[in-house]
Amino acid sequence: MTIRSVILGTGSCLPERTMTNKDLEAIVDTSDEWIVQRTGIRERRIAADGQTTADMAIESARHALQAAGLHGADIDGVIVATSTPDTTFPSVAVKVQAALNICQGPAFDVHAVCAGFIYALTVADSLLRTGVARRLLVVGAEKMSSILNWEDRTTCVLFGDGAGALVLEAQEGRGEIADRGIISTHLHADGHLRDILYVNGGVSSTQTAGHIVMEGKEVFRHAVALMADVVTEAMSHNGIGPEEIDWLVPHQANIRIIEGTARKLDVRLDQVILTVDRHGNTSAASIPLALDEAVRDGRIQRGHLMLLEALGSGLTWGAALIRY
Ligand code: UT7
């Protein structure tokens, strides 16, 4: 018997405030035309002053529980992927646990930046498959606006805030690709590339939160190559070709990176879930936000095979093959 981690419900939370490219023209020397052409981003959501990462995580998790028809007491543990926690400790995950009255199983954050949701899914899948837990909430939540330098046009136009969540349950599978649930996950990191995308502050260095610093072109170059590698790895590990993939659900950093990966994979653009135009890059939240949108609007249906992929600071990157 094989245990599979099956998605029971999805949820998301986007802050009310929309910031358009036109709004950014009033803040830095940029233009709607440059941002759309280079990134595909038209607008992003920005959290209200008092609205924290945990607030968004809790709301997205509540919606995922509702979609699954479950209550907090039905859940064994919480994993939150985030790089923008409310406090250095305790974790965002324990706030979600307390707010939703989830029982006293594990609750912790995973910090792998834009690849964080794939990392969190992998940890959750391991806990479910080894019998440590039966149902887990996995959340990606970020308040990227709080680590942006609003005078740096090369970064502040790229990011947004939000959260997305999934409820996973351990169910019996047959060990086949036709099973519902997480089929496989693939994680990588290369710390030698940590200086091309980082935050210039932290608890043990500057005692400040710091701001995002990025060599965009270098990250772009690695992103196109490494994401193509990891999706190829996921397919060959499972002995499938691109024709078997129903949906590509990529990290939403840049439409040109997403199109590059889709081209290499030979996946049509109408098989790619895209939110980058409206959300910008929400780091660990971008994949669960995209997934929830496509599940709710009926594109992703039970039985569909999805390939999730992401790359972020570290560099960290990964992919997950999941049958919804
Ligand atoms: O989620 C984590 C992973 N992150 C990513 O995947 C991001 C990867 N990188 C990228 O998406 C792209 O590299 C960017 C969108 C960040 C930049 O696009 P680019 O085509 O690589 O542009 P560039 O950095 O080479 O800049 C081109 C020009 C420069 O001017 P000069 O030197 O040619 O005169 C920049 O100063 O565009 C200028 N520029 C801007 N102009 C208007 C940079 N930012 C802006 C801006 N508005 N916001």
Side-chain angles (χ1 to χ4, degrees):
M1 184 190 74
T2 305
I3 298 292
R4 295 291 191 195
S5 307
V6 174
I7 299 175
L8 295 186
T10 65
S12 57
C13 166
L14 286 164
E16 268 177 36
R17 180 178 168 209
T18 298
M19 184 182 273
T20 64
N21 292 347
K22 273 261 166 288
D23 295 332
L24 280 161
E25 286 178 7
I27 301 174
V28 283
D29 179 16
T30 191
S31 65
D32 176 52
E33 193 193 358
W34 189 96
I35 301 171
V36 171
Q37 266 182 12
R38 302 286 176 129
T39 71
I41 300 168
R42 292 180 185 278
E43 59 186 40
R44 70 286 292 142
R45 300 297 186 92
I46 300 294
D49 281 347
Q51 189 177 22
T52 68
T53 297
D55 294 333
M56 295 184 279
I58 290 164
E59 193 179 325
S60 70
R62 193 169 276 135
H63 291 146
L65 278 179
Q66 276 163 3
L70 296 172
H71 298 102
D74 302 317
I75 301 295
D76 298 330
V78 186
I79 305 176
V80 177
T82 188
S83 305
T84 49
D86 301 9
T87 50
T88 301
F89 65 76
S91 63
V92 173
V94 297
K95 291 191 169 183
V96 175
Q97 187 201 37
L100 300 181
N101 295 316
I102 291 170
C103 48
Q104 294 175 355
F108 57 96
D109 292 355
V110 166
H111 184 180
V113 204
C114 298
F117 194 72
I118 306 281
Y119 271 67
L121 271 183
T122 306
V123 176
D125 187 39
S126 308
L127 295 177
L128 292 167
R129 289 205 288 150
T130 50
V132 175
R134 206 162 61 86
R135 288 197 199 108
L136 292 173
L137 250 173
V138 186
V139 184
E142 302 279 14
K143 187 172 176 180
M144 299 304 282
S145 60
S146 55
I147 52 166
L148 290 174
N149 173 357
W150 290 99
E151 292 177 358
D152 177 8
R153 68 175 182 171
T154 69
T155 52
C156 75
V157 304
L158 303 175
F159 295 90
D161 302 332
L166 303 181
V167 178
L168 289 178
E169 181 180 71
Q171 292 184 6
E172 283 185 22
R174 299 208 300 210
E176 298 167 358
I177 189 113
D179 289 348
R180 279 186 62 206
I182 297 180
I183 307 295
S184 69
T185 62
H186 306 266
L187 299 183
H188 295 281
D190 183 353
H192 294 104
L193 296 170
R194 66 189 180 279
D195 290 339
I196 61 174
L197 173 52
Y198 64 98
V199 167
N200 62 5
V203 182
S204 71
S205 53
T206 60
Q207 291 85 53
T208 62
H211 295 126
I212 295 177
V213 181
M214 176 164 70
E215 286 179 42
K217 265 206 173 350
E218 272 300 286
V219 177
F220 189 98
R221 193 167 66 78
H222 289 291
V224 173
L226 295 173
M227 299 241 246
D229 285 354
V230 79
V231 292
T232 306
E233 178 188 330
M235 286 190 299
S236 50
H237 177 85
N238 291 288
I240 60 164
E243 64 286 351
E244 292 183 55
I245 309 283
D246 294 300
W247 298 105
L248 184 65
V249 190
H251 170 49
Q252 312 279 325
N254 186 317
I255 187 74
R256 292 185 294 141
I257 298 175
I258 296 171
E259 285 172 352
T261 314
R263 248 195 318 273
K264 284 204 174 164
L265 255 179
D266 216 10
V267 163
R268 296 189 319 271
L269 260 195
D270 63 0
Q271 288 176 272
V272 183
I273 308 299
L274 288 175
T275 54
V276 66
D277 54 331
R278 287 156 294 125
H279 298 174
N281 181 347
T282 56
S283 191
S286 89
I287 288 180
L289 275 167
L291 195 59
D292 183 53
E293 180 173 294
V295 164
R296 282 174 193 267
D297 69 20
R299 276 176 293 171
I300 296 178
Q301 297 190 1
R302 290 288 173 204
H304 282 177
L305 192 61
M306 316 181 283
L307 189 51
L308 282 48
E309 41 106 348
L311 173 137
S313 166
L315 293 182
T316 51
W317 66 100
L321 190 71
I322 306 177
R323 193 173 293 282
Y324 181 64

